[in-house]
Amino acid sequence: MTILNTVKYYINKEDFDWGRRDITLQLFHPQFELCYAINGIFFRNRESIIRKCFLDGQLLIWKLCWYWLIFIFWVASLYISNTMFYLLWQSIFATVDEHTVRPLMFPIWLPKDDPNRTPNYEVFLSFEILLIFIVICTFGLYVYILFHLLLHYYNLIDVILIALEELFDGLDVSAATLPREDPRRVAVQSELNARMGRIVRWHLSIFDSVDTISSVYGPMLVYQVMFSSVVICLMAYQVSEQLSAGKFDYLFGILTFGACVQLWIPCYIGTLLRTKALSLGDACFYCGWHSTPLALLVRHDLIIFILRAQQPVAIKFTGLPELQLETFSSIMSTAYSYFNMLRQYNSE
C-alpha cells in the first residue's frame, strides 16, 4: 500500500510548489524537452487565471502520460512474468516428456518442424521478449508523445478562451470616443492590439503545430489506421478460439483492450481538439464586444478571427481520413467484419 501511495503522490505532484515564481515547463515536466515555448503565458503572475488554467492542463497531461506508460509496462510485465512463472512451475513440478509443450508468449507455428524443441524454443522465447521491449520503446512512446502534443494544444485553446473573455477587462471605455491622436486612446488601442495579437499568435501556432504533427506522424498514423483493424480482429479471434475450447486467455484479452485503446486515444483527442477549436468562433462572438464601445477599435480583428476559427483543426495526411471518433468507429466496424468472416470460415 505504501508503494501505491508513493506512486500516487508522485503522479499527482503533491510535493510541487505551486506558488513558486520561477515555474517553467521544464520544471513542471522535467523529462520532456519539446514544444514548450508558448509566447505570452506569464508563469510568474500567480493571480493570473491563464496561469492556473495552463498549469492545470499540464498537470492533466502529466497524469495521463504516466497512466499510459504504467499501463503498457504492466501489460508487458504480465506477458513476461506469466510465461516465466509457468515455465518455472513446469520445470520444477511437472513431469517432462517428449510431448510436453513449453509456454510461449505468442503461439508460433513452423512448417515441418516443432517450435517447442531445443533450440527453437529458446530462440523464439528470446525473440518474443526482445519484441515486447521493442514495442514498449517504440510504439508505446510514439502513442504517448502523440497524445501529449495534442493535449498540449487542446490546453492552449482553453487559454485562448480565457483570453477572449478578458479581452476588454480593465480598459478605459471612454477612450473609444476620443480622437485618434489622443494619448489615452492610443494607449488603449495599443493594449487591445497586444491582447488580440497574442490571441492570434496562439491560434496560428495551433494550426502550424497540428500541421507539423500531421506531416511528422502522418505516415505512422496511416499504417496504424490501416493495420489496426486486422490486428484487433486477429487478437479477438485468438480470444474467441480459446473461449470455444473452454479457456479464457486473459493476456490476449488485455492485449486486445490495449490495441483498441492505442487507436482510441488519438481519435478521441482529435475529436476534442476539433470541437474545441470550432468553439473559438462562438467564444469570440460572445466575448462582450456588443456591450462596450471598445469593440470599434478591434472590430476588423474580431471578424477576421471568427472567420479563421471556422476552419477546423484536424490531423490529416494523404491516405488518412481526419483522425476523430468517426475514424475509430469505422476501424472497429471493419475489424468486426473481418472477425465474423474468420469465424464463419472456421466453422465451415
Side-chain angles (χ1 to χ4, degrees):
M1 200 65 185
T2 305
I3 297 176
L4 292 178
N5 289 334
T6 303
V7 172
K8 181 180 177 182
Y9 184 84
Y10 176 73
I11 293 177
N12 291 334
K13 282 187 170 290
E14 296 180 8
D15 60 340
F16 191 80
D17 184 7
W18 299 95
R20 65 187 301 171
R21 294 182 177 273
D22 59 340
I23 289 182
T24 63
L25 285 174
Q26 283 78 6
L27 277 174
F28 201 87
H29 291 287
Q31 74 274 39
F32 310 139
E33 293 291 339
L34 64 155
C35 199
Y36 281 165
I38 303 298
N39 295 325
I41 299 177
F42 304 102
F43 297 98
R44 297 184 181 181
N45 184 4
R46 288 184 288 178
E47 305 300 324
S48 173
I49 301 178
I50 291 178
R51 178 183 188 271
K52 183 180 184 306
C53 173
F54 192 77
L55 289 179
D56 287 344
Q58 293 298 317
L59 179 60
L60 175 63
I61 294 173
W62 167 274
K63 292 179 181 179
L64 291 177
C65 290
W66 277 106
Y67 292 152
W68 169 251
L69 292 177
I70 289 172
F71 173 74
I72 61 174
F73 276 100
W74 175 66
V75 173
S77 63
L78 273 181
Y79 265 88
I80 297 175
S81 60
N82 182 79
T83 304
M84 292 304 176
F85 281 136
Y86 185 70
L87 184 61
L88 180 63
W89 177 87
Q90 193 179 65
S91 302
I92 297 176
F93 300 104
T95 302
V96 180
D97 55 30
E98 65 273 10
H99 301 293
T100 301
V101 178
R102 290 181 288 182
L104 282 171
M105 285 171 278
F106 305 101
I108 291 179
W109 173 81
L110 288 179
K112 301 180 181 180
D113 200 355
D114 182 12
N116 288 284
R117 74 172 181 84
T118 302
N120 288 353
Y121 176 80
E122 288 76 9
V123 171
F124 288 130
L125 181 63
S126 302
F127 175 75
E128 288 183 354
I129 294 175
L130 179 62
L131 179 63
I132 286 178
F133 281 105
I134 291 175
V135 170
I136 290 176
C137 296
T138 55
F139 191 74
L141 292 179
Y142 147 74
V143 173
Y144 144 67
I145 293 174
L146 179 64
F147 86 75
H148 175 268
L149 293 175
L150 294 178
L151 281 176
H152 184 75
Y153 288 100
Y154 177 81
N155 184 29
L156 185 56
I157 295 177
D158 285 331
V159 173
I160 295 176
L161 291 174
I162 294 176
L164 285 171
E165 293 176 0
E166 298 179 339
L167 182 60
F168 301 107
D169 291 353
L171 298 179
D172 185 3
V173 178
S174 62
T177 59
L178 299 175
R180 291 179 180 273
E181 296 79 12
D182 190 277
R184 286 171 55 200
R185 172 162 176 162
V186 171
V188 171
Q189 180 76 65
S190 299
E191 178 62 23
L192 268 177
N193 290 342
R195 294 183 182 183
M196 199 66 206
R198 185 176 63 176
I199 292 173
V200 171
R201 285 197 306 272
W202 289 345
H203 194 220
L204 290 178
S205 71
I206 293 173
F207 281 97
D208 294 340
S209 300
V210 171
D211 288 342
T212 302
I213 292 172
S214 299
S215 63
V216 172
Y217 284 93
M220 290 175 282
L221 286 170
V222 169
Y223 286 109
Q224 183 180 359
V225 170
M226 285 175 57
F227 294 109
S228 285
S229 57
V230 177
V231 172
I232 293 172
C233 164
L234 294 176
M235 291 179 180
Y237 181 75
Q238 172 70 14
V239 174
S240 68
E241 286 296 297
Q242 292 291 325
L243 287 174
S244 300
K247 304 176 183 178
F248 175 64
D249 193 338
Y250 73 95
L251 289 178
F252 260 91
I254 295 173
L255 194 62
T256 305
F257 173 76
C260 296
V261 169
Q262 60 83 26
L263 181 64
W264 177 82
I265 285 174
C267 291
Y268 179 67
I269 298 177
T271 300
L272 288 180
L273 192 64
R274 185 177 186 273
T275 304
K276 180 75 74 165
L278 290 175
S279 69
L280 287 175
D282 294 336
C284 185
F285 185 78
Y286 294 107
C287 68
W289 61 269
H290 56 280
S291 60
T292 175
L294 292 175
L296 296 173
L297 305 181
V298 289
R299 59 182 182 275
H300 296 297
D301 296 329
L302 293 176
I303 292 172
I304 294 173
F305 184 84
I306 291 174
L307 291 175
R308 176 64 171 169
Q310 304 311 305
Q311 181 179 347
V313 177
I315 302 173
K316 293 181 290 187
F317 193 77
T318 304
L320 175 71
E322 291 186 4
L323 205 61
Q324 48 192 336
L325 285 177
E326 288 81 358
T327 307
F328 175 77
S329 176
S330 175
I331 293 171
M332 295 303 294
S333 298
T334 304
Y336 184 69
S337 299
Y338 292 160
F339 173 77
N340 282 334
M341 183 177 64
L342 279 176
R343 293 283 291 174
Q344 183 177 4
Y345 177 80
N346 186 50
S347 63
E348 293 176 356

